[in-house]
Amino acid sequence: MKPSKQRKSTKKLGKPGTVKKSGLPAGSLIHVGKIKTEKTRIDVIEYNATSLIEKNQLGIKEASAYIDTSEPTWLRVTGLQDTQLIGDLGKAYGLHPLLIEDILNTGQRPKVELMKDYVFFTTKTLEISPDNGVISDQVSLILRKNLIISFHESDLEFLAPLYERINLEESRIRNNGVDYLFYALIDIIVDNYFNVIEVVAEMIDNVEDQIFSSPEENVLDTVQQIRKELLFLKKTIFPIREGLSTLIRTDIPLIDPQQVKYLGDVYDHVIHIYETIETYRELNTGLKEVYLSALSNKMNEVMKTLTIIATIFIPLTFVVGIYGMNFKNMPEISWKYGYLSVWIVMIAISLFMLFHFKKRKWI
């Protein structure tokens, strides 16, 4: 990561994705965020223990046909800029307009909402970019009977292991209902947070090494950048903890009690991540103090060196000043060895002072 440089914003495709919603009625379908795909795409995976059917680029009519599916089905919506398509899909599946508004608002705080026929869970995926720091994508999950609908801003590369698992007949995903897939999606998102935390920890270690070896001015910029990243991580993790707690403690017919145990494991991971973030925040705050202390010590060393040099030259200046007064009755001026003697005296004074400073361990 290059924290000292100004962040580069993710390239937007087409028109800017941020739209002011001020003054619009609640439930207005406005996409708020960056456009990260060329277009909104709907794909579906229908599976069971012995078979798997995958279809891509579905239209709204085809996508709406899975509302009463009898097989576990994963409906994936990639790209949130087509508000009309997402709005129509929401209507087809009976989603509340305010819920669809939350899906389209990529700045939405992670949360869980329990409805009569479905469970809504929205969270953030996190990745580290060398140029842009921590990058987040919003993922919203709708859990219905035999159906899970996921909405995400872009294709998420870290979901690749999940796609591989769902293609294996012996995998737990294929041999369980969509509530297990619901858990698996949340689990892989949370596990990816550990990768981000490891990168941040490495950044803190590098800054600490730099402070003790050669504290430069850009160190403070790096510390400030890490502080912002950790604050963003905390704001993301804390509401996820609340949401998972709701899923675990509430009796939800759509989630098998066995899967609740798995969600409890994810909850433990979130707690661990949250505590790690708090620890790193304290370490990062300490780094700023250590940097300022190291900078002060470095300045003190410079001042110490200059003071020693000045102290050595004070008696030498005194000697030179005496013989620079140009009085007529100064025997040493006409003495054959006067010039050499003055040099010997000044060198002796300098050596004596250096020896004295060394003995007192000032140098």
Side-chain angles (χ1 to χ4, degrees), residues 54-81:
E54 185 171 1
K55 298 179 182 179
N56 299 317
Q57 304 284 352
L58 271 65
I60 187 62
K61 186 176 181 180
E62 295 174 289
S64 303
Y66 294 93
I67 189 168
D68 294 319
T69 180
S70 58
E71 298 288 353
T73 303
W74 179 11
L75 200 64
R76 304 195 311 270
V77 181
T78 306
L80 304 179
Q81 65 269 31

Side-chain angles (χ1 to χ4, degrees), residues 58-301:
L58 271 65
I60 187 62
K61 186 176 181 180
E62 295 174 289
S64 303
Y66 294 93
I67 189 168
D68 294 319
T69 180
S70 58
E71 298 288 353
T73 303
W74 179 11
L75 200 64
R76 304 195 311 270
V77 181
T78 306
L80 304 179
Q81 65 269 31
D82 192 338
T83 58
Q84 182 64 45
L85 178 64
I86 294 176
D88 291 342
L89 186 67
K91 289 179 181 178
Y93 284 93
L95 304 183
H96 196 283
L98 290 177
L99 188 146
I100 302 174
E101 182 183 15
D102 290 342
I103 292 172
L104 294 173
N105 181 7
T106 59
Q108 175 62 45
R109 182 178 184 268
K111 66 175 182 177
V112 167
E113 287 192 14
L114 306 179
M115 311 300 282
K116 182 180 178 181
D117 298 323
Y118 56 88
V119 175
F120 173 66
F121 182 87
T122 183
T123 185
K124 305 285 185 186
T125 67
L126 300 177
E127 292 182 278
I128 283 282
S129 166
D131 296 321
N132 302 325
V134 177
I135 299 176
S136 69
D137 268 37
Q138 179 165 291
V139 174
S140 300
L141 305 177
I142 305 291
L143 176 64
R144 296 177 59 96
K145 182 180 180 181
N146 293 329
L147 175 67
I148 185 167
I149 309 174
S150 65
F151 299 85
H152 26 98
E153 298 179 70
S154 61
D155 292 306
L156 303 175
E157 295 181 2
F158 67 86
L159 290 180
L162 192 63
Y163 297 139
E164 293 176 4
R165 286 161 56 191
I166 204 171
N167 277 282
L168 298 175
E169 288 188 4
E170 64 274 15
S171 68
R172 290 184 178 179
I173 296 177
R174 292 281 293 273
N175 290 275
N176 284 276
V178 290
D179 52 347
Y180 185 86
L181 177 59
F182 180 73
Y183 145 75
L185 284 166
I186 298 174
D187 181 57
I188 198 169
I189 291 172
V190 171
D191 283 349
N192 197 56
Y193 292 166
F194 284 104
N195 299 331
V196 177
I197 294 296
E198 288 178 5
V199 174
V200 173
E202 185 179 348
M203 289 171 59
I204 293 175
D205 289 339
N206 292 338
V207 170
E208 187 175 16
D209 293 340
Q210 188 177 357
I211 287 174
F212 286 108
S213 60
S214 57
E216 308 253 336
E217 290 184 2
N218 66 336
V219 168
L220 204 57
D221 294 335
T222 306
V223 170
Q224 180 68 8
Q225 187 64 38
I226 294 174
R227 187 190 72 83
K228 292 180 180 178
E229 305 293 11
L230 288 172
L231 182 60
F232 177 74
L233 290 173
K234 180 182 178 181
K235 289 172 64 178
T236 301
I237 294 296
F238 185 77
I240 294 177
R241 184 176 70 171
E242 294 177 340
L244 286 172
S245 178
T246 301
L247 293 176
I248 294 169
R249 296 177 182 178
T250 307
D251 184 16
I252 304 173
L254 292 171
I255 301 178
D256 188 274
Q258 184 64 33
Q259 315 311 343
V260 173
K261 296 179 181 179
Y262 289 113
L263 289 173
D265 181 64
V266 179
Y267 179 80
D268 292 339
H269 291 171
V270 171
I271 293 294
H272 175 61
I273 293 171
Y274 185 80
E275 291 174 348
T276 303
I277 290 172
E278 286 298 308
T279 302
Y280 288 166
R281 288 186 70 198
E282 292 178 8
L283 287 174
N284 192 60
T285 301
L287 285 180
K288 184 176 181 180
E289 297 173 359
V290 171
Y291 167 74
L292 295 176
S293 177
L295 204 61
S296 178
N297 290 338
K298 186 177 181 181
M299 182 62 68
N300 290 340
E301 287 295 323

